[in-house]
Amino acid sequence: MSWRWALARRVAKLAATDGGGGAQAQRLLPTSSAAAGTGLLGRLHMPLASQIRSKVVGCRGAALVSSRWLHDAQYQVRQDGASRAQEQQDPFELVADELSLLANRLRSMVAAELHLQVPKLASAAEYFFKVGAEGKRFRPTVLLLMASALKFPLSESTEGGVLSILADKLRTRQQNIAEITEMIHVASLLHDDVLDDADTRRGVSSLNLIMGNKLSVLAGDFLLSRACVALAALGNTEVVSLMATAVEHLVTGETMQISTSREQRRSMEYYLQKTYYKTASLISNSCKAVAILAGHTAEVSMLAYEYGRNLGLAFQLIDDVLDFTGTSASLGKGSLSDIRHGIITAPMLYAIEEFPQLQEVVDRGFDNPANIEIALDYLRKSRGIERTKELAREHADRAVKAIESLPDSDDEDVLTSRRALIDITERVITRTK
Amino acid sequence: MCLRLCRAPVVGCRGAALVSSRWLHDAQYQVRQDGASRAQEQQDPFELVADELSLLANRLRSMVAAEVPKLASAAEYFFKVGAEGKRFRPTVLLLMASALKFPLSESTEGGVLSILADKLRTRQQNIAEITEMIHVASLLHDDVLDDADTRRGVSSLNLIMGNKLSVLAGDFLLSRACVALAALGNTEVVSLMATAVEHLVTGETMQISTSREQRRSMEYYLQKTYYKTASLISNSCKAVAILAGHTAEVSMLTYEYGRNLGLAFQLIDDVLDFTGTSASLGKGSLSDIHHGIITAPMLYAIEEFPQLQEIVDRGFDNSANIEIALDYLRKSRGIERTKELAREHADRAVKAIESLPDSDDEDVLTSRRALIDITERVITRTK
């Protein structure tokens, strides 16, 4: 963590030299906006006091101080009138170090098994090595921020003392929840990939598909069993129960999806229930687990749960919209993968409410691309997309409300994390991919 | 005998059951003293716990009820009446629970201690249910991995409902098992069963990915066998002891019983795959060798006839190769040595039971004899 302090000093030093240092300092800072960077540099004289304080409070304290410094600097900039959204620190950046730590732990855990000469498990390891959309590490970020948002106040006089050690222990346990959540998530992806005989026979190389099936099953089992052991090691049976329930929900949701009957394909209620199971249950239960590990009350744990649940639902609803619209605002430019797989999502369900004749089109199925065009036409005429966005907004608002209902705190870290969690709900709603 | 029957109305229903089983036992003891062979009169260990097993079966069926119909039928497939299997594991666990009972003075019958004893029994029954769920979950996945057609005498689930649903059903059972585990509120027990789950996966992984060197190694084979077959029963035996509040020493003894019983079971299984119900080789289903799985008898044979290694390495897609291997096996002491090893493990299991703290309780003694009896049946069975 001391690298943050070192970074802060380096930035200060560079900025103190005129002109040339400024550009270098800018590159070091995680902020994206150039204006913010300049703003930061312009305010460097202010944090000198905190830099002195960092020497007094020690390494860990320094990291806290310097992150506060970065935050304060941005706060200064905000007061200068620049847009809040721009200056808001990237929530993913807030926990970037911890995420690396988690990724390394997960990677080494999987790699440790490779000594059994099981290259099969490399496919599981792949998910952890992947950088990109999946590598955004959405869930662990939310969980780490939630852990910070729920921190109990620690008076600084106990720095380095027993309470501080306990706080570190708790943090590690909460990080473990994030790791367990990722393991469960990837295991469910792997098991969802398992194909049935009919599908394997259609493949060009059925042997590969069959082997692929076995690898998927085995790799998924491997991850689930490791998650079980890690959960047991936390020594909290309520948390075991929560995460086991999340696994049950993932399985139930996937089964609902592959076995939807005709009536069920018309039902918004069925769709939302399935969506909760498949997308929101894992994040909501792990948020709750984070709160429970910290020893919070049932009320606070429920708020953490509500945040996760509403965030997950909002996320999936926007996902459904983007599958139609893609990065443009116009319909039909998205990948249309849901409709091609016969999965009827919220926008289409809303459209059917407006245009009952669309139901018959949907029932015909979508093997025929012409049918897809007809359905898209109805969707375009309807308010399906808008209503889905509205519903997503509703859930995002509820997530924000949950955070705002958390017990008050003065702690800067807590406030920063809560703002970041709120920021994430905004990003989820406004994202275009 | 008359005295005991009179006692029944005094000690209450549960006590009566205890008394009556004691009576049956005493009657048999009388017969034994009359000179008939001990093995014949020994009460069938599976019968001792038959009622409880029915109770467990019913509870299990309700525990795996799912809200999505397709998932429900998949999950309960092997818990339906008729497809439950021999109930080997639950029987062992229930007997173990009885074998570990702390003495209850009869004056406390119906009192607090009695209620606590019932509560403990229920929790130990839960371990048996959890163990079954974990076991069936692993079977469902194994069948997908093996492309199996049948299981327990009926069509395999993957054949009937597809691979994906089998995988999902297995995950569902595992998650339900975990919830039930958590409900016991004992983190050591959660840890033990989580370890068993991990071992099942490790064992299956070892089996699927065996390299050439590993296929020659008795050590690798025994380790894999422990993971795949013995770990679950040994860890659940230990869990039963821990729930009862026994010392670490006693818990280790129950673990040792389960471990050695499981290993003995698998070793005989390996023999039977070659011999079947006859004593002669090649009459068994030969399913292991057809799947390229090299088991103890063959590994012992390779020790005696190194040239057999080359044949084994060639693989067994060619049935002529199987015949050659069986020939070597016949000439070797592979089958005998495997049986000897199984006997060794069975003896160790017996020793573990005999090392348990002394008890006067008839139930305890009956159960311990039953556990010992089971090791004998495992060794001498022909199918």
Side-chain angles (χ1 to χ4, degrees):
Chain A
M1 280 294 240
S2 61
W3 73 264
R4 253 190 219 280
W5 183 49
L7 173 63
R9 288 182 73 200
R10 187 140 182 264
V11 168
K13 201 166 158 211
L14 281 171
T17 69
D18 274 333
Q24 283 181 310
Q26 225 173 304
R27 267 197 295 279
L28 285 171
L29 294 169
T31 51
S32 44
S33 139
T38 319
L40 271 162
L41 294 172
R43 289 287 176 274
L44 281 169
H45 67 274
M46 200 274 296
L48 194 56
S50 36
Q51 276 180 291
I52 292 172
R53 197 175 3 152
S54 67
K55 289 199 189 127
V56 175
V57 298
C59 224
R60 186 166 161 276
L64 284 175
V65 166
S66 61
S67 69
R68 257 179 256 165
W69 170 74
L70 280 169
H71 168 81
D72 287 345
Q74 289 170 331
Y75 182 70
Q76 291 287 329
V77 175
R78 221 177 293 121
Q79 286 193 317
D80 289 352
S83 103
R84 181 167 193 171
Q86 268 182 305
E87 258 57 76
Q88 190 90 343
Q89 196 167 359
D90 182 346
F92 298 95
E93 286 302 313
L94 274 174
V95 292
D97 296 335
E98 264 186 303
L99 285 180
S100 296
L101 183 68
L102 263 61
N104 287 334
R105 279 210 292 252
L106 278 170
R107 213 171 292 161
S108 58
M109 181 271 297
V110 172
E113 296 311 310
L114 295 180
H115 82 274
L116 276 179
Q117 293 171 342
V118 188
K120 330 279 188 175
L121 294 176
S123 60
E126 250 179 66
Y127 280 95
F128 298 117
F129 288 97
K130 246 200 304 192
V131 183
E134 200 60 49
K136 190 90 185 163
R137 312 274 185 72
F138 184 69
R139 267 166 226 82
T141 299
V142 167
L143 293 171
L144 293 174
L145 288 172
M146 182 60 81
S148 299
L150 295 172
K151 266 199 315 196
F152 286 107
L154 262 190
S155 74
E156 277 178 40
S157 59
T158 59
E159 189 65 45
V162 168
L163 283 181
S164 171
I165 294 168
L166 287 176
D168 283 348
K169 188 107 181 54
L170 169 63
R171 190 69 182 196
T172 302
R173 286 154 65 75
Q174 289 168 326
Q175 288 168 354
N176 292 152
I177 294 287
E179 288 156 4
I180 288 163
T181 302
E182 274 307 270
M183 284 190 268
I184 290 175
H185 170 63
V186 176
S188 76
L189 290 181
L190 288 167
H191 280 181
D192 286 352
D193 273 351
V194 170
L195 301 170
D196 280 317
D197 288 337
D199 298 318
T200 57
R201 263 182 248 125
R202 252 186 272 147
V204 172
S205 171
S206 57
L207 180 65
N208 280 350
L209 284 168
I210 289 167
M211 278 315 293
N213 251 13
K214 298 187 184 190
L215 299 188
S216 294
V217 176
L218 211 49
D221 284 350
F222 164 75
L223 288 172
L224 275 180
S225 69
R226 288 302 180 280
C228 280
V229 171
L231 265 177
L234 289 175
N236 184 311
T237 53
E238 193 178 356
V239 165
V240 172
S241 209
L242 280 175
M243 301 310 287
T245 303
V247 172
E248 180 187 316
H249 286 176
L250 283 168
V251 170
T252 304
E254 182 63 17
T255 308
M256 284 172 87
Q257 183 152 293
I258 62 177
S259 59
T260 318
S261 73
R262 178 170 280 201
E263 295 77 52
Q264 287 157 347
R265 263 202 252 180
R266 305 173 180 206
S267 164
M268 180 61 95
E269 198 185 323
Y270 186 85
Y271 162 81
L272 286 172
Q273 176 74 305
K274 182 206 81 173
T275 298
Y276 167 70
Y277 282 150
K278 267 186 77 72
T279 312
S281 172
L282 181 60
I283 188 66
S284 57
N285 280 302
S286 28
C287 279
K288 189 174 180 183
V290 162
I292 283 171
L293 280 183
H296 277 286
T297 61
E299 288 78 16
V300 171
S301 305
M302 268 322 285
L303 288 171
Y305 175 89
E306 280 303 313
Y307 173 82
R309 193 183 85 92
N310 285 293
L311 184 75
L313 290 173
F315 183 92
Q316 188 57 51
L317 288 163
I318 296 298
D319 223 48
D320 294 344
V321 165
L322 292 175
D323 194 58
F324 285 112
T325 63
T327 51
S328 76
S330 54
L331 229 139
K333 294 289 172 65
S335 59
L336 299 176
S337 123
D338 288 333
I339 201 169
R340 289 214 186 91
H341 282 95
I343 299 170
I344 310 303
T345 57
M348 201 58 81
L349 288 166
Y350 277 132
I352 291 172
E353 279 181 24
E354 279 179 68
F355 297 100
Q357 58 271 45
L358 175 54
Q359 183 65 68
E360 205 202 307
V361 177
V362 165
D363 286 345
R364 281 207 295 263
F366 293 105
D367 292 323
N368 179 0
N371 217 27
I372 295 181
E373 270 314 308
I374 297 171
L376 287 181
D377 216 45
Y378 274 108
L379 183 58
R380 216 169 270 121
K381 284 190 289 201
S382 76
R383 286 195 65 244
I385 296 287
E386 288 80 19
R387 287 175 71 189
T388 307
K389 286 183 175 179
E390 282 163 20
L391 184 59
R393 161 64 64 195
E394 245 185 77
H395 283 296
D397 288 346
R398 280 187 225 160
V400 170
K401 224 178 242 72
I403 297 299
E404 289 171 347
S405 309
L406 290 172
D408 286 333
S409 168
D410 303 332
D411 189 322
E412 280 289 352
D413 269 350
V414 171
L415 296 175
T416 308
S417 306
R418 293 183 188 185
R419 268 188 291 265
L421 287 171
I422 290 172
D423 184 25
I424 283 181
T425 70
E426 193 62 34
R427 287 168 186 251
V428 157
I429 296 295
T430 54
R431 75 190 203 280
T432 50
K433 60 177 166 75
Chain B
M1 247 194 284
C2 204
L3 267 169
R4 286 181 220 251
L5 281 170
C6 292
R7 212 190 328 178
V10 175
V11 297
C13 221
R14 187 164 161 276
L18 285 175
V19 167
S20 60
S21 70
R22 257 180 256 163
W23 172 75
L24 277 170
H25 170 81
D26 288 344
Q28 289 170 335
Y29 183 70
Q30 292 288 329
V31 174
R32 222 180 292 121
Q33 286 195 317
D34 291 352
S37 103
R38 182 168 192 170
Q40 268 182 304
E41 258 58 73
Q42 190 91 342
Q43 200 168 357
D44 181 345
F46 298 95
E47 285 303 310
L48 274 174
V49 291
D51 295 335
E52 261 186 305
L53 284 179
S54 296
L55 182 69
L56 261 63
N58 288 333
R59 267 211 303 255
L60 259 176
R61 242 166 269 146
S62 63
M63 279 167 93
V64 303
E67 67 180 81
V68 180
K70 208 158 187 180
L71 192 56
S73 18
E76 63 181 31
Y77 186 70
F78 287 120
F79 295 106
K80 285 202 308 267
V81 180
E84 304 118 330
K86 184 93 185 155
R87 314 253 207 96
F88 183 69
R89 268 164 223 80
T91 299
V92 167
L93 292 170
L94 292 173
L95 288 171
M96 184 60 80
S98 300
L100 296 172
K101 269 199 311 197
F102 286 107
L104 262 190
S105 76
E106 279 176 38
S107 61
T108 59
E109 189 65 47
V112 168
L113 284 181
S114 172
I115 294 169
L116 286 176
D118 285 347
K119 188 107 181 52
L120 170 63
R121 189 68 181 195
T122 303
R123 286 155 65 75
Q124 288 168 326
Q125 289 168 351
N126 292 151
I127 293 288
E129 290 149 12
I130 289 162
T131 302
E132 266 318 273
M133 282 191 277
I134 291 174
H135 174 61
V136 172
S138 76
L139 292 184
L140 288 174
H141 283 198
D142 283 357
D143 285 347
V144 171
L145 292 169
D146 295 340
D147 294 317
D149 283 338
T150 61
R151 163 73 72 182
R152 290 181 174 177
V154 296
S155 298
S156 61
L157 185 70
N158 48 306
L159 187 74
I160 294 193
M161 290 188 170
N163 288 330
K164 185 163 180 180
L165 205 51
S166 298
V167 172
L168 292 176
D171 291 345
F172 178 80
L173 287 175
L174 183 64
S175 66
R176 280 287 164 95
C178 285
V179 171
L181 255 184
L184 291 174
N186 184 310
T187 54
E188 193 178 356
V189 165
V190 174
S191 228
L192 279 175
M193 302 310 286
T195 302
V197 169
E198 185 185 63
H199 284 175
L200 283 169
V201 176
T202 305
E204 189 60 26
T205 306
M206 284 173 86
Q207 183 152 293
I208 271 199
S209 59
T210 317
S211 73
R212 177 169 280 202
E213 295 77 50
Q214 288 157 348
R215 265 202 251 178
R216 306 172 180 205
S217 163
M218 180 62 96
E219 200 186 322
Y220 186 85
Y221 161 80
L222 287 172
Q223 176 73 303
K224 182 207 79 175
T225 298
Y226 167 71
Y227 283 148
K228 267 182 76 74
T229 313
S231 173
L232 182 59
I233 188 67
S234 58
N235 280 302
S236 29
C237 278
K238 190 172 178 182
V240 162
I242 282 171
L243 279 183
H246 277 287
T247 61
E249 287 78 15
V250 170
S251 305
M252 267 323 284
L253 287 170
T254 62
Y255 175 89
E256 279 304 311
Y257 173 83
R259 193 182 83 93
N260 285 295
L261 183 75
L263 289 172
F265 183 91
Q266 188 58 50
L267 288 164
I268 296 300
D269 224 47
D270 293 344
V271 166
L272 291 176
D273 194 59
F274 285 112
T275 64
T277 51
S278 78
S280 54
L281 230 138
K283 294 290 172 63
S285 59
L286 298 176
S287 124
D288 288 333
I289 203 170
H290 275 116
H291 281 96
I293 299 169
I294 310 305
T295 58
M298 200 59 81
L299 289 166
Y300 277 131
I302 292 172
E303 279 181 24
E304 278 179 66
F305 297 100
Q307 58 270 46
L308 176 53
Q309 183 65 69
E310 202 201 306
I311 294 161
V312 164
D313 287 343
R314 282 210 292 263
F316 294 104
D317 293 322
N318 178 0
S319 48
N321 218 26
I322 295 181
E323 270 315 307
I324 299 172
L326 288 180
D327 215 45
Y328 274 106
L329 183 58
R330 217 171 269 120
K331 284 191 288 200
S332 76
R333 288 194 66 244
I335 297 288
E336 289 79 19
R337 287 175 72 189
T338 306
K339 286 183 176 177
E340 281 163 21
L341 184 59
R343 161 64 64 195
E344 245 185 77
H345 283 294
D347 287 345
R348 279 187 227 162
V350 169
K351 223 177 243 75
I353 296 299
E354 288 171 347
S355 309
L356 290 172
D358 286 334
S359 168
D360 301 331
D361 188 321
E362 281 288 351
D363 264 354
V364 172
L365 296 175
T366 308
S367 307
R368 292 183 190 186
R369 268 188 290 265
L371 286 171
I372 289 173
D373 184 25
I374 283 180
T375 71
E376 192 63 32
R377 287 169 186 249
V378 158
I379 296 296
T380 55
R381 75 189 204 278
T382 50
K383 60 177 167 76

